[in-house]
């Protein structure tokens, strides 16, 4: 059941200085069932009137101190009781007193002694009238409260809708359009929204009846008064009203925290700005929420721009990295081309030159420098391949002692040339790891070369290997020039080297330690470096996971020395004439019949007449490349070469796969040692002889 709008009982004030009369009034009026309040004087009556509301006042005219007329005057002076009905009660009434009483707002005069029925009926009328007034007031208040609640709900729903719409997209222009569509025509006849961005203002406008919004290039398209109002609001952070001949407007700044983002201009056709307090509060809240949404959109825009710039920078870096890799590959090819004939010529000198100490020294110098230059090229290519993830490890159980012995052999030349004392501390029991033998040997060899390079002549280099809690630990310690503390954290970075002397006596490109770190990490290991500073040597420590069980390889069949089977017809095809001739000279010394050709198409034609057993083909030929030459040689109907050997400056995995696909049996990277080519021919002859013997049996 709903609560009543007003209380059932109302208050009736009886003012009389005589107790028996007050008692008589109480007896007469208690049948009305209302709250009777008794006052013995005018002062008591005034106190009661200040404390509560009354439907009617029964006021005795003749009282001591303050009589009824004076009390009525005081009652009428107070705004709360100004219109409360007063019934005067008096034993006698002359015309002057009656007129004065009615002038004070008296509603009736009752002569005493009173007639109970008349008194009750008159008081009841005012009680019902008071109750009706209270009922009407309560209804009006309820209606006003309901209207206010509905309006508050409408505003709340509008603001909630605005929040959803403004927050639905992080695109600034879309959010600005949605705000303008919300305020026009609901809150204004026209509106303009300006948001400051790093590269200028973004400005949109909308008019009633317009579909969508229109973009403005500049605020200067607006009347000067509006431009001034917008500038003032955006600088002060306060609302600014503006008057125009065509109407009036208000500029509301958009603030996110203490940051001013822009301003919203609302224009009306009337001169007055028709905003009530609730409308202004709604507008302020709408602008506050819009500012938050636009601030998020600005941050998103800035983030997108930074992401775009970062992506463009990454693409440029990737493009530069690709060009770098292509350059390194091209460089290696171009460097290997001249290295190949130099190495071949040195080998020919070894075979045919007289035993002259000067010639032997010169040949050894050439061989050492060619080997050194080839190693520099290989280091550059290793870094490039590791960076691109093109290194594929040939994992197998590897005994660490064999790796160390092999790496010592590769570094022996440098160690001996600087008269270093190499101290080995190797365990008595084998240590096995799962890795790539060649790459692990390269890692240890690089550390030995690094120690030898940066240690003065006659220094000590100590190499130690041990197993510790399931890990293989290799350390290389030297007593050389050490590493400065500022350089220590960067020693494994590409192209990083210590302070270089003018003569660059240590040489190198600063890539060897980078290769070490990347190869160790590919083996799931780690490498560390320690040094107490310049002149105090350095210690490099490699940690690799051990394996506890090594599968037993099947016993190898005993090998027998293959016979050379006599000289073979060999066709060498290379556009580098020195490279082709140097290989030809060496192979002729081995007893082969050798012809050279620098053009692929002519080589295919010569092969039909020469009928070579072996073709040594450079891949990078002009015209048709080496792959196509191999395919055409294999496709010959009569006497195609039985052995195809590829020579190239490219040694990537995909390059070897292309060679195999084209039909090559071997793929050698320049500068290839001519003895390797001869070994490949010898192996092929041995296999052919074995096949013949098997068929005879």
């Amino acid at each position: 059941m709903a609560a009543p709008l007003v209380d059932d009982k109302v208050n009736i004030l009886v003012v009389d200085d005589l107790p028996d009369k007050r008692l008589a009034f109480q007896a007469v009026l208690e049948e009305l069932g209302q709250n009777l309040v008794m006052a013995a004087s005018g002062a008591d009556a005034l106190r009661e009137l200040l404390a509560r509301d009354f439907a009617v006042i029964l006021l005795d005219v003749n009282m001591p101190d303050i009589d009824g007329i004076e009390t009525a005057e005081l009652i009428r002076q107070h705004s709360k009781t100004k219109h409360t009905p007063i019934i005067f009660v008096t034993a006698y009434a002359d015309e002057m007193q009656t007129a004065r009483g009615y002038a004070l707002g008296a509603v009736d005069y009752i002569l005493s002694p009173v007639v109970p029925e008349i008194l009750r009926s008159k008081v009841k009328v005012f009680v019902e009238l008071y109750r009706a007034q209270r009922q009407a007031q309560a209804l009006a208040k309820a209606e006003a409260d309901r209207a206010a609640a509905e309006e508050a709900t409408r505003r709340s729903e509008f603001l909630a809708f605005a929040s959803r719409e403004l927050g639905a997209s992080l695109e600034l222009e879309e959010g600005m359009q949605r705000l303008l569509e919300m305020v026009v025509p609901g809150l204004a006849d026209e509106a303009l929204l300006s948001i400051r961005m790093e590269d200028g203002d973004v400005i949109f406008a909308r008019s009633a009846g317009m579909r969508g919004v229109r973009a403005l290039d500049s605020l200067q398209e607006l009347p000067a008064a509006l431009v001034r109002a917008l500038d003032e609001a955006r600088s002060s952070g306060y609302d600014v009203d503006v008057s125009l001949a065509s109407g009036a407007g208000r500029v509301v700044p958009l603030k996110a925290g203490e940051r001013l983002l822009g301003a919203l201009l609302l224009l009306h056709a009337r001169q007055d700005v028709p905003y009530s307090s609730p409308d202004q509060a709604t507008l302020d809240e709408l602008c506050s929420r819009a500012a938050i949404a636009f601030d998020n959109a600005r941050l998103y825009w800035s983030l997108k721009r930074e992401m775009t710039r970062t992506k463009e920078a990454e693409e440029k870096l990737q493009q530069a990295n690709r060009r770098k890799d292509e350059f390194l590959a091209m460089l290696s090819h171009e460097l290997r081309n001249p290295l190949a004939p130099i190495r071949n010529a040195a080998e020919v000198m070894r075979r045919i030159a007289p035993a002259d100490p000067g010639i032997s020294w010169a040949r050894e110098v050439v061989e050492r420098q060619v080997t050194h230059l080839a190693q520099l090229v290989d280091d550059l290519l290793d870094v490039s391949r590791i960076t691109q993830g093109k290194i594929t490890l040939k994992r197998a159980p590897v005994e660490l002692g064999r790796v160390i012995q092999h790496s010592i052999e590769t570094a022996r030349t440098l160690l001996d040339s600087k008269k270093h004392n190499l101290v080995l501390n190797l365990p008595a029991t084998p240590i096995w790891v799962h890795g790539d033998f060649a790459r692990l040997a390269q890692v240890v060899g690089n550390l030995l070369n690094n120690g030898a390079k940066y240690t003065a002549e006659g220094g000590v280099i100590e190499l130690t290997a041990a197993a510790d809690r399931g890990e293989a630990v290799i350390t290389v310690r030297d007593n050389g020039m050490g590493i400065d503390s500022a350089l220590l954290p960067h020693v494994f970075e590409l192209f990083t080297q210590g302070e270089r002397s003018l003569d660059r006596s240590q040489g190198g490109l600063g890539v060897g330690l980078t290769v070490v770190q990347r190869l160790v990490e590919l083996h799931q290991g780690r490498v560390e470096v320690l040094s107490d500073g310049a002149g105090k040597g350095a210690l490099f420590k490699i940690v690799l996971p051990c394996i506890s069980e090594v599968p037993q390889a099947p016993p190898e069949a005993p090998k027998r020395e293959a016979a050379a089977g006599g000289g073979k017809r060999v066709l060498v095809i290379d556009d580098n004439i020195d490279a082709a001739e140097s290989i030809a000279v060496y192979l002729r010394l081995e007893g082969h019949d050798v012809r050279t050709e620098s053009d692929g198409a002519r080589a295919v034609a010569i092969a039909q007449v020469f009928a070579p057993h072996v073709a040594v083909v450079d891949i990078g030929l002009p015209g048709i490349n080496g792959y196509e030459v191999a395919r055409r040689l294999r496709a010959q109907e009569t006497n195609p070469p039985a052995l195809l050997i590829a020579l190239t400056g490219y040694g990537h995995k995909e390059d070897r796969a292309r060679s195999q696909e084209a039909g090559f049996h071997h793929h050698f990277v320049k500068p290839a040692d001519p003895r390797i080519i001869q070994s490949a021919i010898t192996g092929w002859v041995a296999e052919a002889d074995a096949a013949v013997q098997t068929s005879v049996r």
Side-chain angles (χ1 to χ4, degrees):
M1 182 175 178
L5 294 174
V6 296
D7 295 335
D8 290 336
K9 293 183 178 183
V10 300
N11 299 319
I12 300 172
L13 179 61
V14 177
V15 186
D16 201 308
D17 61 311
L18 300 176
D20 55 344
K21 289 182 68 176
R22 294 198 300 271
L23 184 61
F25 281 126
Q26 184 174 359
V28 171
L29 296 176
E30 64 183 359
E31 292 184 11
L32 296 177
Q34 308 301 322
N35 294 324
L36 297 176
V37 179
M38 301 299 174
S41 66
D44 292 343
L46 292 173
R47 279 194 294 270
E48 292 294 343
L49 286 166
L50 292 175
R52 67 191 87 179
D53 293 332
F54 291 91
V56 63
I57 303 171
L58 295 178
L59 181 59
D60 182 24
V61 174
N62 298 308
M63 291 187 297
D65 296 329
I66 306 176
D67 64 16
I69 298 300
E70 292 174 345
T71 302
E73 289 178 346
L74 293 173
I75 290 173
R76 291 301 181 229
Q77 290 176 8
H78 200 284
S79 60
K80 180 181 178 182
T81 57
K82 185 175 182 179
H83 300 290
T84 303
I86 300 174
I87 298 175
F88 284 111
V89 180
T90 183
Y92 63 93
D94 56 26
E95 291 183 1
M96 290 181 62
Q97 187 185 68
T98 303
R100 187 180 176 192
Y102 281 119
L104 291 173
V107 294
D108 205 351
Y109 264 89
I110 297 178
L111 297 175
S112 60
V114 298
V115 178
E117 291 78 7
I118 294 175
L119 179 62
R120 277 195 298 269
S121 64
K122 289 188 176 184
V123 170
K124 184 178 181 180
V125 169
F126 290 108
V127 167
E128 295 299 331
L129 178 61
Y130 179 79
R131 182 178 284 117
Q133 290 174 342
R134 291 287 302 275
Q135 185 80 19
Q137 291 173 357
L139 288 172
K141 184 176 183 302
E143 181 64 23
D145 290 344
R146 184 188 63 79
E150 290 178 352
E151 181 63 18
T153 300
R154 184 188 67 80
R155 294 178 188 275
S156 177
E157 290 176 348
F158 169 73
L159 291 173
F161 168 76
S163 294
R164 289 195 302 272
E165 286 294 299
L166 293 171
S169 173
L170 288 172
E171 295 295 338
L172 179 63
E173 294 184 359
E174 185 176 345
M176 294 175 67
Q177 179 174 345
R178 291 183 179 185
L179 177 61
L180 289 173
E181 290 173 350
M182 280 186 273
V183 299
V184 176
L187 297 175
D189 299 321
E190 295 181 72
L192 179 141
L193 181 58
S194 172
I195 301 295
R196 285 177 173 170
M197 302 295 286
E198 292 181 10
D199 52 357
D201 291 349
V202 180
I203 309 169
F204 287 103
R206 174 176 167 83
S207 302
M210 175 189 291
R211 295 187 60 183
V213 299
R214 61 188 178 92
L216 277 71
D217 295 330
S218 170
L219 292 177
Q220 302 308 315
E221 300 179 30
L222 303 176
L226 293 182
V227 175
R228 287 193 299 271
L230 283 164
D231 290 341
E232 181 180 351
R234 292 194 298 181
S235 60
S236 67
Y238 296 104
D239 293 3
V240 176
D241 292 332
V242 59
S243 296
L244 300 171
S246 58
R250 174 169 295 174
V251 182
V252 182
L254 299 179
K255 296 186 289 186
E258 297 300 321
R259 187 167 58 257
L260 284 168
L261 304 180
L264 174 65
L265 168 63
L266 304 173
L267 294 173
H268 303 270
R270 303 192 303 274
Q271 285 292 337
D272 59 324
V273 180
Y275 289 128
S276 64
S277 295
D279 286 337
Q280 184 63 44
T282 301
L283 179 60
D284 291 341
E285 181 64 22
L286 175 63
C287 290
S288 175
R289 299 187 184 194
I292 294 173
F294 295 156
D295 194 37
N296 291 337
R298 288 175 72 252
L299 291 175
Y300 176 68
W301 176 82
S302 298
L303 179 61
K304 276 206 318 182
R305 187 179 64 174
E306 289 303 317
M307 290 175 62
T308 301
R309 289 177 177 175
T310 301
K311 185 178 180 181
E312 291 175 352
E314 288 177 352
E315 290 175 352
K316 289 180 179 178
L317 287 174
Q318 291 173 357
Q319 186 178 6
N321 194 50
R322 285 194 298 270
R323 287 198 295 265
K324 180 259 298 180
D325 292 335
E326 292 170 359
F327 170 75
L328 289 177
M330 178 272 295
L331 178 65
S332 67
H333 182 269
E334 294 302 319
L335 287 175
R336 280 171 170 164
N337 272 333
L339 288 177
I342 296 173
R343 169 172 280 177
N344 296 339
E347 186 60 29
V348 170
M349 289 170 60
R350 187 182 64 82
R351 293 288 301 272
I352 66 174
D356 183 278
I359 294 178
S360 298
W361 172 83
R363 177 179 55 79
E364 290 172 359
V365 169
V366 170
E367 288 179 344
R368 281 197 303 271
Q369 297 307 314
V370 168
T371 301
H372 179 61
L373 185 54
Q375 184 61 50
L376 292 178
V377 174
D378 289 340
D379 283 346
L380 282 174
L381 286 179
D382 278 343
V383 170
S384 176
R385 287 197 290 264
I386 292 172
T387 303
Q388 298 176 75
K390 293 183 178 180
I391 288 289
T392 302
L393 299 180
K394 298 177 182 178
R395 294 179 179 272
V398 176
E399 200 274 304
L400 210 54
R402 293 182 56 244
V403 171
I404 291 174
Q405 292 298 333
H406 184 77
S407 62
I408 291 173
E409 291 303 318
T410 60
R412 176 62 67 185
T413 302
L414 183 57
L415 291 169
D416 291 345
S417 67
K418 300 193 72 173
K419 300 181 177 61
H420 290 319
N421 180 21
L422 178 62
V423 179
L424 297 178
N425 296 314
L426 304 180
T429 57
I431 301 174
W432 291 85
V433 296
H434 191 70
D436 186 316
F437 179 90
R439 291 301 182 180
L440 290 176
Q442 181 181 359
V443 166
V444 180
N446 278 10
L447 292 182
L448 288 173
N449 282 323
N450 186 77
K453 186 187 304 181
Y454 292 101
T455 300
E457 187 171 324
V460 177
I461 297 175
E462 182 180 358
L463 193 156
T464 302
D468 182 21
R469 289 177 293 184
E471 292 180 326
V473 181
I474 306 171
T475 61
V476 177
R477 182 193 301 271
D478 64 66
N479 62 346
M481 62 188 300
I483 304 173
D484 186 82
S485 58
L487 179 65
L488 201 60
H490 309 286
V491 74
F492 293 109
E493 294 177 6
L494 189 60
F495 303 129
T496 297
Q497 289 183 311
E499 185 176 352
R500 303 176 182 181
S501 59
L502 291 175
D503 60 359
R504 285 191 51 86
S505 57
Q506 287 80 26
L509 298 174
V511 299
L513 293 181
T514 304
V515 172
V516 167
Q517 184 187 50
R518 304 292 175 83
L519 289 177
V520 170
E521 289 174 350
L522 287 176
H523 283 84
Q524 287 76 52
R526 63 184 186 276
V527 59
E528 303 168 2
V529 59
L530 300 172
S531 179
D532 293 331
K536 297 183 180 180
L539 182 144
F540 287 86
K541 179 180 178 181
I542 299 170
V543 181
L544 298 168
C546 288
I547 55 176
S548 57
E549 183 177 346
V550 181
Q552 296 297 322
E556 295 183 2
K559 297 181 180 179
R560 64 184 182 87
E561 193 69 27
K568 302 299 177 183
R569 290 189 299 275
V570 181
L571 178 59
V572 179
I573 310 169
D574 196 324
D575 59 321
N576 187 323
I577 297 176
D578 288 339
E581 288 298 332
S582 60
I583 293 174
V585 169
Y586 181 84
L587 293 179
R588 289 186 184 114
L589 293 174
E590 294 292 337
H592 301 296
D593 181 10
V594 185
R595 292 192 62 176
T596 62
E597 181 53 59
S598 61
D599 180 78
R602 289 199 300 268
V604 172
I606 290 173
Q608 295 178 358
V609 179
F610 183 55
H613 300 103
V614 180
V616 180
V617 185
D618 175 32
I619 297 300
L621 292 170
I624 60 173
N625 59 38
Y627 300 125
E628 183 59 27
V629 169
R631 294 188 186 96
R632 294 188 185 184
L633 291 176
R634 291 180 60 202
Q636 288 182 352
E637 296 181 357
T638 58
N639 299 322
L643 179 64
L644 291 175
I645 298 174
L647 284 182
T648 177
Y650 302 104
H652 293 171
K653 182 179 178 181
E654 54 268 28
D655 299 320
R656 297 180 184 277
R658 287 190 66 187
S659 294
Q660 186 176 3
E661 181 184 351
F664 285 103
H665 301 88
H666 297 279
H667 181 105
F668 296 140
V669 179
K670 295 180 179 180
D673 192 326
R675 288 174 291 186
I676 297 177
I677 300 175
Q678 171 59 27
S679 178
I681 297 173
T682 302
W684 164 69
V685 171
E687 290 176 1
D689 290 347
V692 171
Q693 292 176 10
T694 300
S695 63
V696 170
R697 288 198 297 268

